[in-house]
Amino acid sequence: MKNVTDSFVSLGHWPSAGSFGFNTDILATNLINLSVVLGVLIFFGKGVLNDLLDNRKQRILSTIGNSEELRKGAIEQLERARARLRKVEMEAEEYRINGYSEIEREKVNLINATSESLEQLENYKNETLHFEQQRAINQVRQQVFQQALQGAIGALNSCLNSELHFHTISANIGILGAMEEITD
């Protein structure tokens, strides 16, 4: 460190003007050489450096412009994708609602069809019961009629003579024939 300060102190004590010689102080001469080289570089390299910086600036601006265009394109694609997504979501919601309403309609139709089937079965059951009741009533009537007829025939047989008996039997056979035709 002492050498560095000595070299700066020695810079203040230059030999008198008129003598020309070599300065053996390495630090002092290096600083002068370095400042000369830097001065020459700045003077002559300023244009080249400006051109390099301008080219770099143009490339950066071009890259920024391209990035901006790509960003705008990406935003437009994103907006189109969002619009398509909204459309698809609306269609999905519509399908879902229509599906639910279709399911509800089918459910109501199935319930109505089942109700109608049950009602028809109930009607068939009632008709069958009514038919069976009528048939049973008719059988009971026939049996009562036959028993009454047999009782009447028995009473007539005991009270009548054979000629009257023969006429009564013929009349009753005619009545029975007529009744069989009515019941058939």
mmCIF file of all heavy atoms in Angstrom, residues 43-73:
data_model
loop_
_atom_site.group_PDB
_atom_site.id
_atom_site.type_symbol
_atom_site.label_atom_id
_atom_site.label_comp_id
_atom_site.label_asym_id
_atom_site.label_seq_id
_atom_site.Cartn_x
_atom_site.Cartn_y
_atom_site.Cartn_z
ATOM 1 N N PHE A 43 -13.101 7.528 -27.922
ATOM 2 C CA PHE A 43 -13.206 8.406 -29.093
ATOM 3 C C PHE A 43 -13.520 7.606 -30.355
ATOM 4 O O PHE A 43 -14.424 7.952 -31.107
ATOM 5 C CB PHE A 43 -11.895 9.211 -29.265
ATOM 6 C CG PHE A 43 -11.948 10.144 -30.421
ATOM 7 C CD1 PHE A 43 -12.670 11.325 -30.333
ATOM 8 C CD2 PHE A 43 -11.274 9.852 -31.604
ATOM 9 C CE1 PHE A 43 -12.723 12.173 -31.410
ATOM 10 C CE2 PHE A 43 -11.338 10.711 -32.680
ATOM 11 C CZ PHE A 43 -12.051 11.876 -32.590
ATOM 12 N N PHE A 44 -12.757 6.533 -30.593
ATOM 13 C CA PHE A 44 -12.954 5.773 -31.829
ATOM 14 C C PHE A 44 -14.032 4.681 -31.688
ATOM 15 O O PHE A 44 -14.690 4.313 -32.652
ATOM 16 C CB PHE A 44 -11.639 5.125 -32.296
ATOM 17 C CG PHE A 44 -10.657 6.120 -32.784
ATOM 18 C CD1 PHE A 44 -9.501 6.406 -32.068
ATOM 19 C CD2 PHE A 44 -10.881 6.780 -33.975
ATOM 20 C CE1 PHE A 44 -8.584 7.324 -32.532
ATOM 21 C CE2 PHE A 44 -9.958 7.698 -34.434
ATOM 22 C CZ PHE A 44 -8.802 7.982 -33.724
ATOM 23 N N GLY A 45 -14.196 4.161 -30.488
ATOM 24 C CA GLY A 45 -15.142 3.061 -30.305
ATOM 25 C C GLY A 45 -16.543 3.530 -29.969
ATOM 26 O O GLY A 45 -17.472 2.712 -29.877
ATOM 27 N N LYS A 46 -16.706 4.848 -29.813
ATOM 28 C CA LYS A 46 -18.028 5.359 -29.473
ATOM 29 C C LYS A 46 -19.031 5.033 -30.567
ATOM 30 O O LYS A 46 -20.145 4.599 -30.292
ATOM 31 C CB LYS A 46 -17.944 6.861 -29.228
ATOM 32 C CG LYS A 46 -19.242 7.466 -28.786
ATOM 33 C CD LYS A 46 -19.092 8.882 -28.246
ATOM 34 C CE LYS A 46 -18.671 9.829 -29.342
ATOM 35 N NZ LYS A 46 -18.753 11.247 -28.936
ATOM 36 N N GLY A 47 -18.686 5.186 -31.801
ATOM 37 C CA GLY A 47 -19.590 4.898 -32.907
ATOM 38 C C GLY A 47 -19.932 3.422 -32.974
ATOM 39 O O GLY A 47 -21.076 3.021 -33.163
ATOM 40 N N VAL A 48 -18.899 2.579 -32.841
ATOM 41 C CA VAL A 48 -19.130 1.133 -32.876
ATOM 42 C C VAL A 48 -19.986 0.711 -31.693
ATOM 43 O O VAL A 48 -20.935 -0.073 -31.832
ATOM 44 C CB VAL A 48 -17.783 0.370 -32.869
ATOM 45 C CG1 VAL A 48 -17.993 -1.125 -32.731
ATOM 46 C CG2 VAL A 48 -16.975 0.696 -34.098
ATOM 47 N N LEU A 49 -19.671 1.259 -30.535
ATOM 48 C CA LEU A 49 -20.444 0.933 -29.336
ATOM 49 C C LEU A 49 -21.882 1.412 -29.479
ATOM 50 O O LEU A 49 -22.825 0.697 -29.115
ATOM 51 C CB LEU A 49 -19.780 1.552 -28.107
ATOM 52 C CG LEU A 49 -20.375 1.171 -26.758
ATOM 53 C CD1 LEU A 49 -20.312 -0.331 -26.557
ATOM 54 C CD2 LEU A 49 -19.653 1.878 -25.630
ATOM 55 N N ASN A 50 -22.058 2.627 -30.046
ATOM 56 C CA ASN A 50 -23.412 3.130 -30.281
ATOM 57 C C ASN A 50 -24.149 2.229 -31.258
ATOM 58 O O ASN A 50 -25.344 1.938 -31.064
ATOM 59 C CB ASN A 50 -23.378 4.570 -30.802
ATOM 60 C CG ASN A 50 -23.173 5.579 -29.695
ATOM 61 O OD1 ASN A 50 -23.411 5.273 -28.534
ATOM 62 N ND2 ASN A 50 -22.718 6.764 -30.053
ATOM 63 N N ASP A 51 -23.484 1.788 -32.327
ATOM 64 C CA ASP A 51 -24.117 0.882 -33.288
ATOM 65 C C ASP A 51 -24.503 -0.438 -32.621
ATOM 66 O O ASP A 51 -25.611 -0.954 -32.840
ATOM 67 C CB ASP A 51 -23.177 0.596 -34.466
ATOM 68 C CG ASP A 51 -23.023 1.809 -35.384
ATOM 69 O OD1 ASP A 51 -23.863 2.727 -35.274
ATOM 70 O OD2 ASP A 51 -22.078 1.802 -36.196
ATOM 71 N N LEU A 52 -23.592 -0.986 -31.813
ATOM 72 C CA LEU A 52 -23.907 -2.231 -31.104
ATOM 73 C C LEU A 52 -25.087 -2.047 -30.159
ATOM 74 O O LEU A 52 -26.001 -2.884 -30.097
ATOM 75 C CB LEU A 52 -22.689 -2.733 -30.329
ATOM 76 C CG LEU A 52 -21.539 -3.306 -31.146
ATOM 77 C CD1 LEU A 52 -20.350 -3.615 -30.235
ATOM 78 C CD2 LEU A 52 -21.984 -4.576 -31.847
ATOM 79 N N LEU A 53 -25.066 -0.929 -29.434
ATOM 80 C CA LEU A 53 -26.169 -0.665 -28.506
ATOM 81 C C LEU A 53 -27.475 -0.420 -29.249
ATOM 82 O O LEU A 53 -28.541 -0.871 -28.813
ATOM 83 C CB LEU A 53 -25.827 0.519 -27.595
ATOM 84 C CG LEU A 53 -24.751 0.249 -26.547
ATOM 85 C CD1 LEU A 53 -24.433 1.535 -25.778
ATOM 86 C CD2 LEU A 53 -25.173 -0.839 -25.585
ATOM 87 N N ASP A 54 -27.403 0.305 -30.393
ATOM 88 C CA ASP A 54 -28.618 0.531 -31.191
ATOM 89 C C ASP A 54 -29.163 -0.784 -31.738
ATOM 90 O O ASP A 54 -30.385 -1.027 -31.711
ATOM 91 C CB ASP A 54 -28.319 1.494 -32.350
ATOM 92 C CG ASP A 54 -28.190 2.936 -31.875
ATOM 93 O OD1 ASP A 54 -28.672 3.224 -30.752
ATOM 94 O OD2 ASP A 54 -27.631 3.747 -32.628
ATOM 95 N N ASN A 55 -28.255 -1.649 -32.253
ATOM 96 C CA ASN A 55 -28.700 -2.966 -32.743
ATOM 97 C C ASN A 55 -29.340 -3.775 -31.626
ATOM 98 O O ASN A 55 -30.393 -4.394 -31.809
ATOM 99 C CB ASN A 55 -27.531 -3.741 -33.354
ATOM 100 C CG ASN A 55 -27.094 -3.176 -34.683
ATOM 101 O OD1 ASN A 55 -27.842 -2.456 -35.332
ATOM 102 N ND2 ASN A 55 -25.870 -3.500 -35.074
ATOM 103 N N ARG A 56 -28.696 -3.752 -30.482
ATOM 104 C CA ARG A 56 -29.249 -4.481 -29.329
ATOM 105 C C ARG A 56 -30.596 -3.900 -28.928
ATOM 106 O O ARG A 56 -31.540 -4.644 -28.634
ATOM 107 C CB ARG A 56 -28.238 -4.415 -28.174
ATOM 108 C CG ARG A 56 -28.671 -5.109 -26.934
ATOM 109 C CD ARG A 56 -28.646 -6.602 -27.105
ATOM 110 N NE ARG A 56 -29.000 -7.230 -25.850
ATOM 111 C CZ ARG A 56 -29.599 -8.378 -25.758
ATOM 112 N NH1 ARG A 56 -29.868 -9.054 -26.854
ATOM 113 N NH2 ARG A 56 -29.888 -8.891 -24.599
ATOM 114 N N LYS A 57 -30.697 -2.584 -28.926
ATOM 115 C CA LYS A 57 -31.949 -1.913 -28.570
ATOM 116 C C LYS A 57 -33.043 -2.297 -29.563
ATOM 117 O O LYS A 57 -34.178 -2.584 -29.164
ATOM 118 C CB LYS A 57 -31.730 -0.393 -28.566
ATOM 119 C CG LYS A 57 -32.947 0.408 -28.218
ATOM 120 C CD LYS A 57 -32.623 1.900 -28.251
ATOM 121 C CE LYS A 57 -33.827 2.754 -28.073
ATOM 122 N NZ LYS A 57 -33.516 4.174 -28.185
ATOM 123 N N GLN A 58 -32.711 -2.314 -30.881
ATOM 124 C CA GLN A 58 -33.690 -2.675 -31.906
ATOM 125 C C GLN A 58 -34.145 -4.130 -31.731
ATOM 126 O O GLN A 58 -35.325 -4.441 -31.877
ATOM 127 C CB GLN A 58 -33.108 -2.463 -33.311
ATOM 128 C CG GLN A 58 -32.926 -1.010 -33.689
ATOM 129 C CD GLN A 58 -34.249 -0.248 -33.611
ATOM 130 O OE1 GLN A 58 -35.298 -0.760 -33.950
ATOM 131 N NE2 GLN A 58 -34.165 0.978 -33.131
ATOM 132 N N ARG A 59 -33.186 -5.016 -31.452
ATOM 133 C CA ARG A 59 -33.555 -6.414 -31.234
ATOM 134 C C ARG A 59 -34.456 -6.554 -30.017
ATOM 135 O O ARG A 59 -35.436 -7.306 -30.034
ATOM 136 C CB ARG A 59 -32.311 -7.285 -31.074
ATOM 137 C CG ARG A 59 -31.629 -7.597 -32.385
ATOM 138 C CD ARG A 59 -30.616 -8.696 -32.204
ATOM 139 N NE ARG A 59 -29.725 -8.416 -31.073
ATOM 140 C CZ ARG A 59 -28.410 -8.444 -31.120
ATOM 141 N NH1 ARG A 59 -27.789 -8.761 -32.226
ATOM 142 N NH2 ARG A 59 -27.701 -8.178 -30.059
ATOM 143 N N ILE A 60 -34.135 -5.848 -28.958
ATOM 144 C CA ILE A 60 -34.974 -5.901 -27.744
ATOM 145 C C ILE A 60 -36.360 -5.351 -28.044
ATOM 146 O O ILE A 60 -37.380 -5.949 -27.670
ATOM 147 C CB ILE A 60 -34.301 -5.139 -26.584
ATOM 148 C CG1 ILE A 60 -33.069 -5.909 -26.094
ATOM 149 C CG2 ILE A 60 -35.278 -4.926 -25.434
ATOM 150 C CD1 ILE A 60 -32.229 -5.156 -25.084
ATOM 151 N N LEU A 61 -36.424 -4.199 -28.747
ATOM 152 C CA LEU A 61 -37.722 -3.617 -29.089
ATOM 153 C C LEU A 61 -38.508 -4.545 -30.017
ATOM 154 O O LEU A 61 -39.726 -4.698 -29.875
ATOM 155 C CB LEU A 61 -37.538 -2.242 -29.732
ATOM 156 C CG LEU A 61 -37.059 -1.124 -28.803
ATOM 157 C CD1 LEU A 61 -36.818 0.155 -29.603
ATOM 158 C CD2 LEU A 61 -38.072 -0.874 -27.696
ATOM 159 N N SER A 62 -37.798 -5.165 -30.968
ATOM 160 C CA SER A 62 -38.456 -6.110 -31.867
ATOM 161 C C SER A 62 -38.988 -7.311 -31.091
ATOM 162 O O SER A 62 -40.118 -7.767 -31.319
ATOM 163 C CB SER A 62 -37.467 -6.557 -32.953
ATOM 164 O OG SER A 62 -38.017 -7.576 -33.736
ATOM 165 N N THR A 63 -38.172 -7.804 -30.182
ATOM 166 C CA THR A 63 -38.609 -8.940 -29.359
ATOM 167 C C THR A 63 -39.806 -8.558 -28.499
ATOM 168 O O THR A 63 -40.765 -9.323 -28.365
ATOM 169 C CB THR A 63 -37.450 -9.425 -28.465
ATOM 170 O OG1 THR A 63 -36.334 -9.744 -29.291
ATOM 171 C CG2 THR A 63 -37.848 -10.621 -27.636
ATOM 172 N N ILE A 64 -39.769 -7.352 -27.935
ATOM 173 C CA ILE A 64 -40.903 -6.871 -27.134
ATOM 174 C C ILE A 64 -42.144 -6.740 -28.000
ATOM 175 O O ILE A 64 -43.244 -7.130 -27.608
ATOM 176 C CB ILE A 64 -40.553 -5.539 -26.432
ATOM 177 C CG1 ILE A 64 -39.531 -5.784 -25.322
ATOM 178 C CG2 ILE A 64 -41.794 -4.877 -25.869
ATOM 179 C CD1 ILE A 64 -38.987 -4.528 -24.685
ATOM 180 N N GLY A 65 -41.974 -6.180 -29.215
ATOM 181 C CA GLY A 65 -43.115 -6.051 -30.136
ATOM 182 C C GLY A 65 -43.688 -7.408 -30.506
ATOM 183 O O GLY A 65 -44.914 -7.600 -30.515
ATOM 184 N N ASN A 66 -42.784 -8.360 -30.831
ATOM 185 C CA ASN A 66 -43.258 -9.711 -31.153
ATOM 186 C C ASN A 66 -43.962 -10.347 -29.961
ATOM 187 O O ASN A 66 -45.001 -10.995 -30.110
ATOM 188 C CB ASN A 66 -42.092 -10.593 -31.600
ATOM 189 C CG ASN A 66 -41.549 -10.186 -32.958
ATOM 190 O OD1 ASN A 66 -42.222 -9.518 -33.721
ATOM 191 N ND2 ASN A 66 -40.323 -10.591 -33.236
ATOM 192 N N SER A 67 -43.374 -10.139 -28.785
ATOM 193 C CA SER A 67 -43.990 -10.684 -27.577
ATOM 194 C C SER A 67 -45.356 -10.056 -27.345
ATOM 195 O O SER A 67 -46.306 -10.744 -26.947
ATOM 196 C CB SER A 67 -43.102 -10.435 -26.355
ATOM 197 O OG SER A 67 -41.877 -11.095 -26.502
ATOM 198 N N GLU A 68 -45.449 -8.762 -27.610
ATOM 199 C CA GLU A 68 -46.733 -8.062 -27.449
ATOM 200 C C GLU A 68 -47.766 -8.615 -28.428
ATOM 201 O O GLU A 68 -48.926 -8.843 -28.063
ATOM 202 C CB GLU A 68 -46.527 -6.553 -27.654
ATOM 203 C CG GLU A 68 -47.659 -5.699 -27.197
ATOM 204 C CD GLU A 68 -47.891 -5.753 -25.696
ATOM 205 O OE1 GLU A 68 -46.941 -5.954 -24.921
ATOM 206 O OE2 GLU A 68 -49.059 -5.615 -25.305
ATOM 207 N N GLU A 69 -47.353 -8.840 -29.680
ATOM 208 C CA GLU A 69 -48.278 -9.412 -30.672
ATOM 209 C C GLU A 69 -48.692 -10.829 -30.266
ATOM 210 O O GLU A 69 -49.870 -11.187 -30.373
ATOM 211 C CB GLU A 69 -47.610 -9.438 -32.050
ATOM 212 C CG GLU A 69 -47.473 -8.089 -32.697
ATOM 213 C CD GLU A 69 -46.748 -8.151 -34.035
ATOM 214 O OE1 GLU A 69 -46.664 -9.251 -34.608
ATOM 215 O OE2 GLU A 69 -46.276 -7.106 -34.483
ATOM 216 N N LEU A 70 -47.712 -11.607 -29.812
ATOM 217 C CA LEU A 70 -48.033 -12.958 -29.356
ATOM 218 C C LEU A 70 -48.981 -12.917 -28.154
ATOM 219 O O LEU A 70 -49.907 -13.734 -28.043
ATOM 220 C CB LEU A 70 -46.762 -13.726 -28.999
ATOM 221 C CG LEU A 70 -45.860 -14.116 -30.177
ATOM 222 C CD1 LEU A 70 -44.565 -14.729 -29.665
ATOM 223 C CD2 LEU A 70 -46.586 -15.087 -31.090
ATOM 224 N N ARG A 71 -48.754 -11.954 -27.259
ATOM 225 C CA ARG A 71 -49.620 -11.817 -26.087
ATOM 226 C C ARG A 71 -51.031 -11.459 -26.524
ATOM 227 O O ARG A 71 -52.007 -12.031 -26.033
ATOM 228 C CB ARG A 71 -49.069 -10.750 -25.140
ATOM 229 C CG ARG A 71 -49.861 -10.621 -23.831
ATOM 230 C CD ARG A 71 -49.324 -9.508 -22.960
ATOM 231 N NE ARG A 71 -49.585 -8.198 -23.488
ATOM 232 C CZ ARG A 71 -50.725 -7.518 -23.317
ATOM 233 N NH1 ARG A 71 -51.708 -8.056 -22.651
ATOM 234 N NH2 ARG A 71 -50.877 -6.315 -23.815
ATOM 235 N N LYS A 72 -51.155 -10.524 -27.482
ATOM 236 C CA LYS A 72 -52.483 -10.155 -27.983
ATOM 237 C C LYS A 72 -53.165 -11.355 -28.637
ATOM 238 O O LYS A 72 -54.354 -11.595 -28.434
ATOM 239 C CB LYS A 72 -52.380 -8.995 -28.974
ATOM 240 C CG LYS A 72 -52.072 -7.669 -28.327
ATOM 241 C CD LYS A 72 -51.946 -6.570 -29.364
ATOM 242 C CE LYS A 72 -51.556 -5.254 -28.718
ATOM 243 N NZ LYS A 72 -51.354 -4.189 -29.705
ATOM 244 N N GLY A 73 -52.386 -12.096 -29.448
ATOM 245 C CA GLY A 73 -52.944 -13.304 -30.071
ATOM 246 C C GLY A 73 -53.376 -14.319 -29.025
ATOM 247 O O GLY A 73 -54.438 -14.941 -29.154
#
